[in-house]
Every structure is written in C-alpha cells, then in structure tokens.
Amino acid sequence: MIQWTKLQLDTTQFLLNQEAKDTDEAAIFFGETYHAAMEIAMDPNMNVVKLKNVDILINAWKTVFKTMLISPIDLKSLPYNFIGLAMIKFWTGAIVSPLIPATADNMLLGTINGIVFPGNAISVGKGIYDAFNKKEAPLVAGALVKVYKDHAKTLQGLHVGMTISPGPPSSTSIPVLVPWKGLK
C-alpha cells in the first residue's frame, strides 16, 4: 500500500526544518520521497507496481525550481506542469505484477498487467502550485499528498490474461482484457 502518511510526515518535517541547502537538494527530496512512498503501490487486485527510475521526477523538480528562479515574473502553475508531465512519464507503461488474476470468469494467471492511462499532467501541476501557496509546512505537505492521492486514483491499467476454454482439451484458451482503475 502507498505510504501516504509517511510521505506527509517526511514532507512536513523537511519543510519545517528547511533541510535543503539549495534547490537541487529540494528537488532530490521531493522526487525521492514520492518514489519511496510508491514502492509498494498496488493495483485493485493487490498486484505490486514496478517503479521506473526516480531521476524522471528529480529532474522535473529541478527544472521547476530553476525556471521559477530565473523568471522575472510569477509564472503561476505553469512550471509545475513539468512535474505533472514527469509523473505521466513515470507511470506510462509501468508494469504491474500479474500474479493475482483480475476478476473474470475462469481467468488463469495474467500474462500482462500494466498502466495504460497515466493521469492528467495539468491537474497535478496546478495542484502542486496551489499546495505550495498554502505557506505553512503541514498545510503544504497535506495538500501535496492530496494531489498525489488524487492522481493515483486516476491511473488506469489493463490486465491481460487467459481463460480456460470450455470444451474439449484440444481447444485453446481465450485472451481476456480486464481494465482496472486506481492504485492503492
């Protein structure tokens, strides 16, 4: 299960203690803590997701912080869309363990299980921007986790499995597609 409580506590502590020496350290923190919280993310059937490289997320956070620092004007939520896009890239095609079959009549072990819809980048970007505008560490952390939770609920996948074909033993199995929604 996703480690939402730990993520929120770690983020609150990080913000309260102002632990980063520079924006790169902050980017590493935000990328790595999100990645760590997702390490045991599961589909609705309790199959674990194999995560992609954390550098996708860290580089997006670095881009956002650098963009905001050099911009002569307030870009509002626009730079945070880089993080939204990175999260889309992070989740696109992520493989999910097919060990626990999806619910379908006569379904055997799955052969493929993966994320096919990785969510909406714009809602993530706007949500992160709004979270940082809360100003107080516990409120920022809570709002960030809410953005991440809302995003995790929108991820959709497809479990491809085989069924036992009714009929003589010489008949072949039938492929079955079972869509699912949301990581927990």
Side-chain angles (χ1 to χ4, degrees):
M1 303 293 261
I2 299 171
Q3 302 298 307
W4 297 123
T5 303
K6 182 172 177 9
L7 178 60
Q8 187 166 342
L9 290 172
D10 289 349
T11 303
T12 300
Q13 199 63 35
F14 175 82
L15 295 170
L16 285 172
N17 294 339
Q18 299 178 5
E19 294 176 12
K21 290 182 235 165
D22 57 28
T23 56
D24 281 355
E25 279 192 15
I28 291 166
F29 170 82
F30 287 111
E32 286 182 349
T33 54
Y34 177 84
H35 192 271
M38 298 298 152
E39 284 182 329
I40 51 174
M42 299 177 189
D43 73 3
N45 290 322
M46 306 303 279
N47 291 301
V48 178
V49 179
K50 182 176 181 341
L51 297 181
K52 292 186 174 182
N53 191 316
V54 69
D55 290 341
I56 295 167
L57 303 169
I58 292 170
N59 290 334
W61 280 101
K62 285 181 180 181
T63 299
V64 168
F65 292 145
K66 285 179 182 158
T67 301
M68 291 181 348
L69 286 173
I70 63 170
S71 177
I73 61 169
D74 181 4
L75 297 171
K76 306 280 184 212
S77 67
L78 189 61
Y80 290 100
N81 290 334
F82 285 114
I83 299 166
L85 291 170
M87 286 177 65
I88 299 307
K89 184 177 179 182
F90 181 78
W91 289 111
T92 298
I95 297 172
V96 183
S97 158
L99 297 177
I100 302 171
T103 53
D105 291 339
N106 299 325
M107 187 173 226
L108 300 172
L109 287 179
T111 54
I112 300 171
N113 190 9
I115 294 174
V116 294
F117 178 72
N120 181 330
I122 305 249
S123 64
V124 170
K126 172 122 177 45
I128 292 173
Y129 171 77
D130 291 343
F132 278 113
N133 280 306
K134 302 276 185 208
K135 307 283 187 217
E136 296 177 31
L139 298 176
V140 171
L144 277 174
V145 168
K146 182 178 181 331
V147 170
Y148 299 150
K149 279 183 179 180
D150 290 347
H151 181 255
K153 290 176 191 173
T154 68
L155 298 175
Q156 296 177 36
L158 190 61
H159 190 121
V160 180
M162 301 297 282
T163 62
I164 300 169
S165 178
S170 62
S171 62
T172 60
S173 296
I174 303 166
V176 175
L177 306 174
V178 180
W180 54 264
K181 183 174 181 179
L183 293 178
K184 46 182 161 180

